[in-house]
Amino acid sequence: MNAESDERTGESAADGESELGSRAPDFIKARKTLHLSWQVGVFVVGLAVVGAGVAMLVLPGPGWVVIFGGMAIWATEFVWAQLVLRWTKRKVTEAAQRALDPKVRRRNIILTTIGLVIVALLLGFYLWKYGLVMPWKIND
């Protein structure tokens, strides 16, 4: 059996990850109508949280954190959300390890320094050319 099918069936408990599938209580899973209602409720709550997170991408607030919180709510019931969260966790871990690489850190520090020097030069040129005039002191 390949690793992909193992992951979808939840047989990958050897690597410390929990099984895939619904985490609803057994008495809810035992009744089909109740379980469907439970899934609809989880979906609606997750959708509301993800929607709030998307709104926070343009409004003040921790947008991505809230979106991933909504995905975590969905992951309590839906396998596709569990797979998305596993993939995201793996990619974030890989990115964190890459960011801690000394060569990458050195490159990022150099690029940041160059960017700050360019911004300082542009700001200095603007102030030299136009001076510092407060908006409330502009003459018509």
Side-chain angles (χ1 to χ4, degrees), residues 51-120:
V54 169
M56 286 182 202
L57 291 175
V58 293
L59 300 172
W64 286 110
V65 174
V66 175
I67 288 172
F68 288 124
M71 288 296 296
I73 291 170
W74 278 338
T76 62
E77 198 58 35
F78 303 109
V79 173
W80 60 267
Q82 293 168 1
L83 294 175
V84 168
L85 283 179
R86 283 185 184 180
W87 179 85
T88 304
K89 183 179 178 183
R90 189 172 55 249
K91 291 298 180 183
V92 167
T93 303
E94 291 171 6
Q97 289 172 349
R98 269 195 319 269
L100 293 176
D101 180 25
K103 290 180 183 177
V104 174
R105 289 186 70 204
R106 190 176 311 115
R107 183 199 66 199
N108 289 346
I109 289 171
I110 290 170
L111 289 175
T112 302
T113 303
I114 291 170
L116 289 174
V117 167
I118 290 171
V119 168

Side-chain angles (χ1 to χ4, degrees), residues 43-60:
F43 182 79
V44 168
V45 170
L47 185 63
V49 173
V50 169
V54 169
M56 286 182 202
L57 291 175
V58 293
L59 300 172

